[in-house]
Amino acid sequence: MRQVPVAARLALAGLITAVALAVALWPRGGDDTSVDGAQIHPSAPVPEQLRAAAGLAPCPRPAADAVGHGPLAGITLSCLADGKPVDVAAALAGKPALLNLWAYWCGPCAEELPYLQEYAQRAGNAITVLTVHSDPDEARGLALLADLKVTLPGVLDASTRVRNAVGVPAVLPVSVLLRADGSVAKAIVRPFDGVEDIADTVANELGVAA
């Protein structure tokens, strides 16, 4: 077997080192989320400090004898506040609900979320307002909510099960108004432009005044 000249071997070793260094320093293009200096990948478990920073309200929990009905029956999602599973239809049973489908990358969603929080505060216990982050990147969703200071209860819908179940278009934001029996009263395929818009729409479709 012929031996590779020493100069050639050294040149090859230098090329490998240069490529390795370039790969190590190559920018990731913003695919990760930074939290307290740590890089969070979409597939990694969400750190507890990120959940704590968001400070979200707990997700609604089903009553002991609650049974979910309607198109969301059988759908269990992860609660953004604590990562625990939520039977969505059962948790919402017995009260009108507004489900807001959004994602961290959606500009109109970021404008709309604070309106939804203000509306929920006005409406009180008359209606459940639940956000549905329709993207697998939970860390970026929580980071945006923390930035917006929106603390509404929310669930993670990484595979868009809610959207598919209610049959709405693949656009965001979408708000789904549910009757107390779990049936869909109306899907609002546009962003709300203010708190009064939300209040008027809910009053007209669900009869809930706020």
Side-chain angles (χ1 to χ4, degrees):
M1 177 182 291
R2 295 178 56 191
Q3 290 189 345
V4 178
V6 173
R9 291 204 305 269
L10 291 176
L12 179 60
L15 177 61
I16 292 172
T17 301
V19 171
L21 182 60
V23 170
L25 297 179
W26 192 265
R28 272 21 178 205
D31 290 338
D32 303 333
T33 298
S34 178
V35 181
D36 295 336
Q39 291 297 316
I40 307 302
H41 298 265
S43 59
V46 173
E48 288 307 310
Q49 67 264 30
L50 182 53
R51 294 194 194 279
L56 303 185
C59 290
R61 297 292 171 180
D65 58 348
V67 177
H69 297 286
L72 302 183
I75 294 180
T76 297
L77 299 174
S78 174
C79 181
L80 291 174
D82 55 19
K84 295 180 180 179
V86 178
D87 182 329
V88 178
L92 299 176
K95 184 188 294 187
L98 188 165
L99 273 62
N100 182 253
L101 282 57
W102 68 286
Y104 73 88
W105 42 261
C106 166
C109 300
E111 296 178 6
E112 180 184 58
L113 283 164
Y115 299 145
L116 288 162
Q117 172 142 315
E118 186 176 343
Y119 169 76
Q121 292 168 345
R122 278 177 47 172
N125 292 327
I127 187 171
T128 300
V129 179
L130 183 70
T131 71
V132 181
H133 187 234
S134 305
D135 185 277
D137 197 333
E138 185 176 16
R140 286 183 181 270
L142 286 167
L144 178 63
L145 292 173
D147 287 344
L148 296 174
K149 296 181 171 55
V150 169
T151 58
L152 289 167
V155 292
L156 177 68
D157 189 7
S159 56
T160 63
R161 296 180 66 192
V162 170
R163 186 192 78 199
N164 295 336
V166 298
V168 294
V171 298
L172 293 174
V174 173
S175 291
V176 181
L177 304 181
L178 299 176
R179 303 181 183 94
D181 64 1
S183 61
V184 175
K186 191 172 183 67
I188 314 300
V189 190
R190 63 173 179 83
F192 290 114
D193 60 19
V195 179
E196 295 304 326
D197 184 13
I198 302 172
D200 291 344
T201 302
V202 172
N204 290 335
E205 301 298 336
L206 292 176
V208 177

